[in-house]
DNA sequence: TTGTAGGCGTTATCAC
DNA sequence: GTGATAACGCCTACAA
């Protein structure tokens, strides 16, 4: 993989490297003829500046880093699409990594990206991440940092989230309004910001309808099949079993759907938090699944926009904001008798 | 983002940069004490070597590039997982880009990755890509190159694919064996290798069962809702409408499911090509969807393994191979009367 | 208008 | 055992 360098051009044209450099980047006084000659030759040999050399020199890379818990997750991959769209428009490259929900991997990727001189970092925290001192120190050392979806409370910076409280409240209220009283809430790990907010929305709706909270109806979980079994066992061993499900992700909902089906149990209504494109699946299930739709693409786009502003404007005393994007509730009519 | 460099350490310890460098990388004769002193100090100030400087010097980056048509596609994101697993194990980083099914974007990403000195490139072609001369010349200039899933025929290099012919044959044969005679084949763009292979498997099964081929039953398409409508219109305007669907991707299947539902048509059986984790969705649909399961993770893993072998062994005259991974047919019983 | 020199962070080579 | 120097590709202040 030998590549053409400025030196090669200089040698071929009997010029100095600086002249070639100037010609290529159209910097000040340069003989138009020389410039044309250089340009033509560069074109001919398909010259491409070496971004590594530039990064080394400028200590920046025209690229932003993204770290998400996992890529094979529709929600995050859509967010990445939004990020790419925003970055592309402003001439930045996007370098994507996944933490795989592991604190150590996350740490590792952060270090690597920092070392690679990304101009800024966009993150959604792994579920294992509790200590965020490394991110704090990163910010203190001047790295522009924006969080989305899974955000920490302990850092002051831009954050973009979906309004989880509102989404959960809306969904729970809908279920209560249609007569459900025992709503199981299947949700993610208790440490995450999204988990807490959804729980608070769930609680707010219960309170409004005067329905007592039963903590046995809340299950924190990951995605293993055994867990589904255990949780369903305990839910349906309750004196009054659940008559509805509110789940924190479409994948959770699908897992529980399958578990319920296996047991021959039909639940009148299920609502799940989903990214846009899972919506069509929701409709095709039997009974169909209602959905709290989260604008993942928009979230990525917004987060990237804020990050690029930070990078380019380098404000001395930035005023950080937390953007809350609204969810939308899609209610699907069940074909079951109610 | 000021960072600690070898120079800083040298200055602090009153040593030369070369001594520090040697101490850090444990290269030849060095005073054990000096070494310890350097190590301790480096640890203390959290020194991290600058990979950019290394890349510039070594003309390599300990990272491989991946270009897929899109990330927000479960099949590809699972493949990426496999790639990361293999790369991580062998100490390489993975840099991920998407072409968004655009030839121009693909070209752009290839150039950028090349300029970034990735040590090798892993690609799945965009559906728009016909001319692959840029990839050929890349290979000629010595860049290790491995293709997966969407592969070109015109380049001799390692390729990893799912056995699409076999998968389509198996699925079609199953449908024919259960009495279907009018099998609609909804598939991807005609130019792609996977499209051709699946069609050939479909044809082989038809021939075996003595069922004449009707080209009106084959629809090449992308993912727009209008297209679904147009295609369904023409399929159900046929003298003998379809009694089964074989679709090239789960997303296509879901789109057509929704379209059929809207029209109140029930089709006895549908088979779709899916990645592993869509399997649970397939079961939950009504009627359930049978599936040709493609081992996406394994595909990524295999492709990355081959690429890393190429990179590390740099064989003068490599013997390139095309690995065909087997699919598995999951038949879901329909609850409909047959 | 063009050339020379120095530096970004690192390592390899050669000298001491 | 350690230090000085050059080189990777590029850019820019300064010199001519």
């Amino acid at each position: 993989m030998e590549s053409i360098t400025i030196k090669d051009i200089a040698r071929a044209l009997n010029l100095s490297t600086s002249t070639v450099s100037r010609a290529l980047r159209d910097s000040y006084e340069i003989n138009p003829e020389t410039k044309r000659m250089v340009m033509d030759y560069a074109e001919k040999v398909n010259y491409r500046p070496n971004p590594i050399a530039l990064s080394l020199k400028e200590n920046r890379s025209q690229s932003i880093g993204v770290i998400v818990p996992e890529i094979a997750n529709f929600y995050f991959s859509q967010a990445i699409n939004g990020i790419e769209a925003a970055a592309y428009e402003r001439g930045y490259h996007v370098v994507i990594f996944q933490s795989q929900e592991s604190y150590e991997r996350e740490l590792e990727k952060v270090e690597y990206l920092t070392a690679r001189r990304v101009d800024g970092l966009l993150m959604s925290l792994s579920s294992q991440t509790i200590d965020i001192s490394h991110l704090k120190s990163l910010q203190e050392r001047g790295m522009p940092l924006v969080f989305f979806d899974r955000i920490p409370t302990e850092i002051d910076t831009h954050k973009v989230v979906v309004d989880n409280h509102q989404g959960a409240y809306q969904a729970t209220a809908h279920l209560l309004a249609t007569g459900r009283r025992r709503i199981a809430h299947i949700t993610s790990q208790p440490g995450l910001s999204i988990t807490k907010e959804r729980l608070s929305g769930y609680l707010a709706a219960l309170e409004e309808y005067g329905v007592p909270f039963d903590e046995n109806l809340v299950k924190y979980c990951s995605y293993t099949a055994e867990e589904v079994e255990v949780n369903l066992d305990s839910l349906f061993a309750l004196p009054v079993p659940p008559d509805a499900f509110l789940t924190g992700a479409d994948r959770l909902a699908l897992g529980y759907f399958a578990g319920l089906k296996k047991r021959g149990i039909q639940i009148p209504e299920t609502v799940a938090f989903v990214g846009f494109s899972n919506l069509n699946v929701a409709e095709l299930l039997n009974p169909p699944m209602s959905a709290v739709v989260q604008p993942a693409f928009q979230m990525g786009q917004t987060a990237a926009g804020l990050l690029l502003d930070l990078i380019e404007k380098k404000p001395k005393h930035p005023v950080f904001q937390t953007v809350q994007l609204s969810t939308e509730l899609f209610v699907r009519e069940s074909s079951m008798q109610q």
Side-chain angles (χ1 to χ4, degrees), chain A:
Chain A
M1 280 305 310
E2 302 302 299
S3 297
I4 303 288
T5 73
I6 261 186
K7 236 185 214 167
D8 298 324
I9 301 182
R11 201 177 311 120
L13 263 42
N14 249 318
L15 289 169
S16 77
T17 58
S18 41
T19 306
V20 175
S21 171
R22 278 193 286 254
L24 287 171
R25 68 192 32 265
D26 201 11
S27 97
Y28 55 117
E29 308 110 10
I30 182 133
N31 187 327
E33 266 183 51
T34 313
K35 184 175 155 189
R36 263 236 350 218
M37 192 172 67
V38 171
M39 289 298 224
D40 288 352
Y41 187 79
E43 169 87 2
K44 193 183 117 203
V45 297
N46 194 29
Y47 167 77
R48 292 283 173 271
N50 182 335
I52 298 202
L54 284 178
S55 289
L56 182 60
K57 182 142 188 43
E58 318 240 317
N59 217 19
R60 48 190 239 94
S61 58
Q62 280 291 326
S63 62
I64 60 177
V66 177
I67 303 178
V68 292
E70 63 172 326
I71 291 174
N73 176 316
F74 213 92
Y75 185 57
F76 288 121
S77 57
Q78 274 182 109
I80 290 173
N81 263 347
I83 292 168
E84 283 225 322
Y88 184 76
E89 199 172 285
R90 294 170 67 166
Y92 282 76
H93 287 273
V94 179
V95 186
I96 305 154
F97 287 103
Q98 48 185 341
S99 61
Q100 322 218 88
E101 303 284 13
S102 142
Y103 172 69
E104 302 215 335
R105 287 252 187 156
E106 187 178 279
L107 209 66
E108 205 176 284
K109 304 299 185 191
V110 169
E111 282 206 341
Y112 180 72
L113 283 172
T114 312
R116 294 279 341 185
R117 298 295 185 275
V118 289
D119 301 342
L121 200 47
L122 228 37
M123 289 191 62
S124 198
L125 295 177
S126 100
S127 55
Q128 273 185 23
T129 303
I130 296 161
D131 178 15
I132 52 159
S133 50
H134 60 296
L135 298 171
K136 267 189 173 156
S137 87
L138 201 62
Q139 191 190 26
E140 278 157 18
R141 282 181 289 150
M143 171 71 85
L145 207 52
V146 173
F147 291 91
F148 63 97
D149 195 57
R150 308 245 202 109
I151 63 174
T153 50
E154 308 84 347
I155 293 189
D156 186 30
T157 181
H158 288 318
K159 298 166 191 173
V160 182
V161 287
V162 163
D163 191 339
N164 285 289
H165 174 94
Q166 165 67 11
Y169 168 82
Q170 216 178 358
T172 310
H174 157 71
L175 291 170
L176 291 165
T178 53
R180 322 291 172 217
R181 284 298 172 269
R182 299 283 293 163
I183 304 165
H185 183 31
I186 314 289
T187 187
S188 16
Q189 288 82 346
L192 297 174
S193 53
I194 54 170
T195 307
K196 294 175 196 161
E197 291 158 20
R198 287 170 184 172
L199 185 62
S200 90
Y202 171 81
L203 292 175
L206 287 182
E207 190 174 348
E208 187 170 317
Y209 279 77
V211 174
F213 171 55
D214 179 352
E215 64 179 352
N216 295 312
L217 287 171
V218 178
K219 299 293 178 192
Y220 302 95
C221 53
S222 47
Y223 296 92
T224 67
E226 308 87 62
E227 225 176 10
V228 173
E229 291 307 316
V230 171
N231 286 338
L232 284 179
D233 277 344
S234 82
L235 285 170
F236 286 95
L238 290 175
V240 190
D243 57 10
F245 275 73
L246 170 64
T247 72
D250 54 340
R251 277 200 293 174
L252 283 176
L254 295 175
Y256 281 81
F257 254 105
L260 289 169
K261 192 167 183 180
K262 210 162 86 182
R263 287 155 188 257
I265 301 172
Q266 291 226 338
I267 281 291
E269 192 157 0
T270 299
V271 186
F273 281 80
V274 307
F276 262 114
S277 79
N278 311 64
L279 206 52
N280 53 358
V281 176
E283 189 177 20
L284 294 169
L285 299 177
N286 183 32
M289 179 171 87
S290 295
V292 178
V293 176
Q294 312 177 91
F297 183 93
Q298 195 193 345
M299 183 178 65
Q301 213 178 16
T302 309
L306 288 171
L307 183 67
L308 293 173
D309 286 348
L310 274 185
I311 292 172
E312 292 179 348
K313 294 184 188 148
K314 287 193 193 308
K316 266 273 181 287
H317 302 289
V319 179
F320 294 121
Q321 50 179 309
T322 297
V323 180
Q324 295 232 343
L325 302 175
S326 300
T327 58
E328 209 170 332
L329 180 65
F330 276 70
V331 175
R332 304 294 187 178
E333 288 303 319
S334 170
S335 58
M336 292 175 54
Q337 66 174 57
Q338 310 235 339

